Amino acid sequence: MFESYKNNRLKKICLIYTGGTIGMTKDGKGVLRPPDNPEDFTKIAPEINEIAEVDFVALMNKDSTNIVPSDWTAMAQAVYDRRNDGYAGFVIAHGTDTMHFSSSALAFALGPGLSFPVVFTGAQTTPAIAHGDARINLVRAIKVAQEDFAEVVISFGDYVFRGCRTQKKDEKRFDAFESPAIYPIADITEKILRYPIARSRSDSDVTNEINLIPDYADGVIQVGLIPGLKPDLLIPLIENPECKGVVLQSFGAGNVPDDGIYAFGDFIRRAVSYNKPVVITSQFPANSTLETHYAPGVAAVEAGALATGNMTSAAATVKFRWVLARVEKEIQENIISTNNKLSRIKDLMGEVYVREMD
Amino acid sequence: MSTPSKVFILYTGGTIGMAPSDPNNLASPLTPQPLDDLIQWVPSWKNGVVEKDEKDNNKIKSIKLENGISLGFDNFEKPLDSSNITPADWQIMAAGIEKVYNEYDGFVILHGTDTMAYTASALSFLFENLAKPVVITGSQLQISHERTDGVMNLVNAVHIAGWKSTGLPCIPEVVVCFADKLLRGCRTSKVSSTAWAGFDSPNFPHLGSIGEHIKINEDLLRSIPDEKQSFHVIKDIDTNVIDITLNPGMQASQLKKIMEPKEVHAIILRTFGAGNAPDKKPFLDVIENIVNADKTIVNITQCQQGMVEMGLYASSAALLERGVISGLDMTPEAALTKLYVTLANKIGIQRALQMQVSQRGEQTENLFDLRYGECGNSGESTKSFDEFRTPDRRFNVKRLSRAVVRFQSLGVVGTETGKPVSIRVFMNKPGSKSETPKDDPALIANFMIEADGKDHNVVNVVPENTSRGYIGDGDITLSVRADEGVKFWFKGLYLALFAKA
């Protein structure tokens, strides 16, 4: 029995299992695989039942490398369907490789109306590793989900991060994630130490009304700008009808080559003429690509590329897919015309929706 | 009086020498300024003896400093913002240094930060038998700015390049000197676009730290090449490479489309975690077709820190088997520039080997992937298999860290359908029989496979005592044995040897 909870009524937490290392077990051949019976998952940390009343949902059982946007939709829907079932919060157990993509996706899907925490967690080791992080991360996430948060977060190691501002930085160490542009929103100690930037259940803009928008367009490809990349090599990419837009991952603070045969201006203008947006992200989102003072960044934006502020590359890519799906739907429903597609995408990309940039 | 030395400074552009394009409007876009405007901002150089250019009296040719270092200068005709640096510019830098290589003791390259790590990596691979320091630096704020970091970076870089005068050890490498760190060039990544400490080497210790003293970790330095090995610059590179970042739900068909043009020779694929990519058939089929078209795929991780561990797990082994090259723990910058050089002069299996073996200290481990071929199929199975392979001459068994054996599509027929049977792999013991005891030290893997007629992909890390005891400097024979009455087939048998670089 764990002290602090002895005589309190336990809060209800919904634990959604999607797969990942945190639940992996070794089979007879010594191969790591997801548990045959996902219910076994809760047994890795029996004490969670002493700190909360945990309902378990085995939503899917996937290595996170194989998670696709329709899985994001399923996760968002699973939370949405249970939003009025009396849960203090939700925990989603997920593989680490693409957790930051999924947490970004759910942040956009559930939107600013979210009035409770949706806590992603996972692990670098399987539960079988005695000194590993599977059990502790799960227990901590169950704790975090009861706290005063009203947003999608990642609880991992000693920190709680905003879900749409996080990226994976290390494939081995227990501090696997970082939030490059803002501080973590809480430290995990005996108490969960919230920072003022964390969104509270009592914040004035928390409406209790979730406007669920769980769709994401496909056909978005992410290309790194590397010295010597001739934009001509990428022309077949944007001419492919399956391609609906391009994310260019820039050097530094959003600079894009603007000199000679390596200049990207014509490529961007060509993509824009095909009605396909070009989004510029940075691997180092500490600085805003919007406020670039360097000529090469200015040239790209002038050619029609969309800057992404200090969003992480993962959040920017997910948001781009989410905006694209929204705008495609608006065109289908004749709310806007195809001619206004790019300007509508630009507006939505530039608008802060769930504090994904500032 | 300190020992005299000569340091050559090559100015290529970058923030360090930038100023607002309209001097009256501080918010106007920043553009690169000439070299002479830059060096006037270093206070300690004002006491130096200046020699002007014979032809152009406004141009500074050299400065002799009080600490014994004589500076020589050259600059790009048109200084560049570093996002516009191209491989042709790397060649100009390399040629610029080659021209004066024998005249100077060390070299400093002033460069913008955006692509500095690419240039540092590229020059590391382009320079063969480098015996003198090439120190790359720049700054986050222009040198004319009141809060500039440019003066400190430039002065520190000169101190390191002028090792003969300053008493520091000679670093025979391309290095990045930035803020408080000295980093191996081909290990360096940009980690922040705004912090003073904008660079780091996430998978390798710093070569030195810069504080009140400049402290060099001499144990980490590469050795100075023998005098007979003369310095030269590699001229051929192939830059027809595309850099693709995987994101969830990316369609395989798009990857196919990107690789279709014949001008595209290779891709750097930034995968998830430890080199993981979707293991669904359409994706793997596309990968296989790309490799069959003699195009190269190099797998590196999206994570800043960490190593691609293809071959250690069944899921990523599927990529290795299809001919994807492991980038191990190379930075994206090193993987790309190494690929540029490798693509131009290596073919087939040599290309994979060249990429997976350290050339300039750019990776922690070397990977030697030995392929033992296939054996039968479900219609035609066999009772035993023996084959040998010879690792590349660069393989040193004393540095072996891990050996991993794996089967691609292993199937068995046994005495009883559905019952697991044992498939055993022995190393360097061709005389082994099906009744050889299971505790024989030459046994490196014992896979329990269900006799269900299906294909299985299985992986096993070879126990350390076995791999140490049974791998010599020569051939490595693998023998596959099964129980009496059991037959097997497989599409591939592999031994991945990871050795410290």
Side-chain angles (χ1 to χ4, degrees):
Chain A
M1 185 61 103
F2 288 84
E3 280 293 328
S4 52
Y5 295 91
K6 240 178 224 166
N7 299 312
N8 295 337
R9 221 184 123 212
L10 297 180
K11 286 182 180 165
K12 268 178 73 177
I13 298 293
C14 180
L15 172 58
I16 299 175
Y17 179 76
T18 69
T21 304
I22 192 168
M24 293 242 187
T25 53
K26 259 193 185 160
D27 70 5
K29 283 181 242 165
V31 176
L32 288 174
R33 54 173 78 245
D36 291 331
N37 179 9
E39 304 251 349
D40 289 346
F41 172 62
T42 52
K43 291 179 192 152
I44 72 168
E47 63 268 48
I48 60 174
N49 296 308
E50 300 191 26
I51 62 169
E53 191 187 323
V54 179
D55 287 345
F56 184 72
V57 178
L59 186 64
M60 60 187 86
N61 201 352
K62 282 190 165 188
D63 187 295
S64 84
T65 308
N66 290 322
I67 294 273
V68 293
S70 60
D71 298 319
W72 301 338
T73 308
M75 290 179 218
Q77 193 71 46
V79 171
Y80 183 78
D81 290 346
R82 295 169 179 81
R83 70 193 183 285
N84 296 323
D85 294 358
Y87 292 114
F90 290 76
V91 172
I92 301 182
H94 196 288
T96 58
D97 276 354
T98 65
M99 187 190 290
H100 49 307
F101 289 93
S102 293
S103 61
S104 299
L106 261 68
F108 293 112
L110 297 168
L114 190 64
S115 57
F116 49 82
V118 175
V119 184
F120 276 83
T121 199
Q124 294 284 58
T125 75
T126 64
I129 303 296
H131 71 283
D133 59 347
R135 187 192 63 82
I136 195 69
N137 280 350
L138 177 61
V139 175
R140 288 174 174 184
I142 297 281
K143 168 75 178 156
V144 169
Q146 303 174 44
E147 299 288 310
D148 183 17
F149 296 108
E151 56 182 316
V152 178
V153 303
I154 288 181
S155 169
F156 210 97
D158 295 343
Y159 300 104
V160 183
F161 300 103
R162 176 160 293 150
C164 54
R165 307 214 67 160
T166 308
Q167 59 193 25
K168 191 174 176 190
K169 67 165 176 177
D170 196 305
E171 48 89 5
K172 260 198 188 65
R173 290 174 176 76
F174 294 140
D175 57 337
F177 290 91
E178 66 180 351
S179 153
I182 60 167
Y183 290 105
I185 60 169
D187 290 345
I188 300 176
T189 69
E190 182 182 347
K191 290 200 170 67
I192 307 298
L193 305 177
R194 295 173 73 258
Y195 287 102
I197 59 162
R199 200 164 175 271
S200 155
R201 295 174 199 252
S202 58
D203 277 4
S204 56
D205 60 336
V206 173
T207 58
N208 284 326
E209 282 296 323
I210 295 177
N211 177 19
L212 184 72
I213 313 177
D215 302 313
Y216 312 89
D218 53 17
V220 169
I221 193 136
Q222 203 173 339
V223 181
L225 289 174
I226 49 181
L229 175 64
K230 296 183 202 87
D232 283 357
L233 283 189
L234 301 178
I235 295 289
L237 168 71
I238 50 169
E239 283 179 343
N240 178 6
E242 279 182 23
C243 169
K244 293 179 188 161
V246 181
V247 175
L248 291 183
Q249 206 163 357
S250 73
F251 318 118
N255 292 337
V256 176
D258 66 345
D259 197 27
I261 57 164
Y262 300 100
F264 264 81
D266 285 344
F267 173 83
I268 293 167
R269 275 183 285 274
R270 188 142 166 188
V272 166
S273 77
Y274 296 157
N275 229 356
K276 296 179 180 180
V278 176
V279 167
I280 312 252
T281 68
S282 166
Q283 294 179 68
F284 321 104
N287 198 10
S288 174
T289 47
L290 282 170
E291 290 167 19
T292 179
H293 276 178
Y294 293 88
V298 175
V301 171
E302 278 171 5
L306 307 179
T308 53
N310 59 2
M311 267 191 273
T312 61
S313 211
T317 305
V318 170
K319 185 179 182 185
F320 183 33
R321 288 175 167 226
W322 177 78
V323 163
L324 209 51
R326 260 178 90 174
V327 173
E328 279 172 352
K329 201 171 165 208
E330 287 173 353
I331 292 171
Q332 229 170 45
E333 292 170 355
N334 286 323
I335 297 169
I336 62 162
S337 82
T338 314
N339 292 342
N340 295 331
K341 182 180 166 190
L342 289 188
S343 64
R344 176 72 176 145
I345 289 172
K346 188 178 179 188
D347 288 349
L348 289 175
M349 284 300 290
E351 179 184 286
V352 179
Y353 187 66
V354 281
R355 306 186 185 182
E356 70 277 17
M357 58 182 176
D358 50 41
Chain B
M1 190 66 198
S2 43
T3 319
S5 68
K6 288 183 77 183
V7 171
F8 179 74
I9 299 180
L10 176 61
Y11 170 56
T12 70
T15 302
I16 192 165
M18 295 245 185
S21 49
D22 175 1
N24 299 318
N25 176 9
L26 293 179
S28 61
L30 297 167
T31 50
Q33 303 299 308
L35 173 69
D36 288 9
D37 288 1
L38 185 147
I39 52 188
Q40 60 167 328
W41 291 98
V42 186
S44 61
W45 292 2
K46 293 216 167 106
N47 299 329
V49 180
V50 176
E51 191 190 335
K52 297 274 185 180
D53 195 289
E54 296 98 359
K55 288 176 209 143
D56 181 354
N57 216 22
N58 290 319
K59 260 184 104 176
I60 294 172
K61 192 182 166 196
S62 71
I63 304 177
K64 200 165 183 211
L65 304 179
E66 286 169 323
N67 61 10
I69 301 176
S70 288
L71 301 174
F73 298 95
D74 199 0
N75 58 285
F76 270 27
E77 204 126 320
K78 180 185 159 209
L80 291 170
D81 183 301
S82 87
S83 53
N84 285 325
I85 292 272
T86 67
D89 299 309
W90 299 335
Q91 295 290 6
I92 296 172
M93 292 178 218
I97 285 173
E98 191 180 28
K99 210 172 100 191
V100 296
Y101 183 77
N102 292 324
E103 236 178 281
Y104 288 88
D105 303 303
F107 308 86
V108 171
I109 298 177
L110 298 178
H111 198 286
T113 58
D114 273 355
T115 61
M116 185 185 286
Y118 284 99
T119 295
S121 299
L123 293 180
S124 300
F125 295 112
L126 292 181
F127 291 153
E128 292 260 25
N129 301 327
L130 181 67
K132 298 173 178 180
V134 176
V135 188
I136 306 184
T137 195
S139 69
Q140 300 281 37
L141 279 174
Q142 58 271 30
I143 204 158
S144 56
H145 195 286
E146 57 178 352
R147 295 201 305 112
T148 190
D149 52 333
V151 174
M152 183 181 79
N153 287 346
L154 176 51
V155 170
N156 286 333
V158 167
H159 263 250
I160 290 159
W163 55 280
K164 266 191 186 167
S165 300
T166 53
L168 290 170
C170 173
I171 304 173
E173 303 190 29
V174 177
V175 294
V176 168
C177 167
F178 212 91
D180 58 347
K181 297 185 186 79
L182 183 69
L183 308 167
R184 173 168 295 161
C186 54
R187 287 285 198 160
T188 303
S189 251
K190 190 169 184 183
V191 295
S192 165
S193 52
T194 52
W196 286 151
F199 294 90
D200 205 346
S201 55
N203 291 322
F204 191 68
H206 304 159
L207 289 185
S209 58
I210 300 167
E212 186 185 343
H213 303 286
I214 297 178
K215 197 177 165 298
I216 310 289
N217 297 321
E218 292 189 55
D219 297 350
L220 298 175
L221 302 182
R222 290 175 65 75
S223 47
I224 297 174
D226 196 274
E227 270 177 35
K228 282 179 220 141
Q229 299 171 300
S230 61
F231 171 77
H232 73 276
V233 175
I234 293 175
K235 303 286 193 297
D236 288 336
I237 58 172
D238 175 355
T239 63
N240 289 317
V241 179
I242 292 181
D243 173 0
I244 300 290
T245 302
L246 280 187
N247 64 68
M250 190 183 111
Q251 293 117 308
S253 56
Q254 289 213 336
L255 194 59
K256 185 169 168 236
K257 202 82 194 170
I258 291 168
M259 294 304 288
E260 254 167 28
K262 64 176 191 328
E263 303 83 55
V264 179
H265 298 160
I267 53 170
I268 295 276
L269 195 62
R270 300 198 194 204
T271 57
F272 305 118
N276 300 320
D279 57 6
K280 297 276 173 290
K281 195 170 179 301
F283 185 82
L284 293 177
D285 285 349
V286 166
I287 294 280
E288 192 161 350
N289 287 333
I290 292 170
V291 174
N292 287 343
D294 197 32
K295 299 191 176 195
T296 303
I297 306 176
V298 178
N299 181 357
I300 61 168
T301 173
Q302 286 178 22
C303 300
Q304 196 168 84
Q305 198 150 23
M307 172 163 164
V308 166
E309 300 194 313
M310 269 199 311
L312 221 48
Y313 303 102
S315 58
S316 55
L319 295 175
L320 200 56
E321 278 144 18
R322 279 161 184 77
V324 173
I325 292 171
S326 174
L328 294 140
D329 65 346
M330 275 189 273
T331 61
E333 293 90 341
L336 178 82
T337 51
K338 187 180 181 181
L339 182 58
Y340 281 176
V341 172
T342 307
L343 274 181
N345 58 23
K346 294 283 182 220
I347 52 164
I349 195 84
Q350 286 301 321
R351 191 183 291 160
L353 188 63
Q354 193 78 356
M355 284 301 292
Q356 287 169 168
V357 172
S358 168
Q359 311 293 331
R360 304 283 192 262
E362 70 278 13
Q363 61 200 52
T364 307
E365 286 190 335
N366 294 333
L367 168 58
F368 302 88
D369 196 41
L370 304 184
R371 301 170 164 236
Y372 286 82
E374 59 183 338
C375 171
N377 53 52
S378 53
E380 181 202 337
S381 46
T382 178
K383 287 197 288 194
S384 72
F385 172 91
D386 296 275
E387 193 66 61
F388 75 87
R389 290 290 178 268
T390 316
D392 182 75
R393 62 180 165 76
R394 284 166 286 192
F395 173 69
N396 177 351
V397 69
K398 291 195 187 78
R399 301 184 73 80
L400 183 72
S401 51
R402 279 173 299 181
V404 184
V405 61
R406 65 184 197 278
F407 279 108
Q408 179 186 9
S409 302
L410 169 66
V412 292
V413 283
T415 42
E416 219 175 300
T417 307
K419 196 183 153 214
V421 298
S422 147
I423 299 292
R424 297 182 290 282
V425 184
F426 294 91
M427 182 185 278
N428 286 341
K429 192 167 183 164
S432 49
K433 300 191 175 63
S434 56
E435 58 271 16
T436 301
K438 285 177 187 161
D439 57 0
D440 191 290
L443 179 78
I444 58 166
N446 181 13
F447 296 109
M448 297 304 292
I449 305 295
E450 275 173 43
D452 52 8
K454 289 184 195 146
D455 290 347
H456 301 262
N457 293 320
V458 288
V459 176
N460 189 56
V461 178
V462 178
E464 203 171 315
N465 55 351
T466 313
S467 52
R468 295 233 189 283
Y470 282 77
I471 298 177
D473 287 329
D475 304 337
I476 301 176
T477 302
L478 293 187
S479 305
V480 185
R481 301 288 181 267
D483 289 336
E484 203 59 54
V486 171
K487 287 181 173 183
F488 59 84
W489 67 89
F490 53 83
K491 208 173 153 193
L493 170 62
Y494 307 84
L495 182 67
L497 303 168
F498 293 86
K500 286 188 195 73

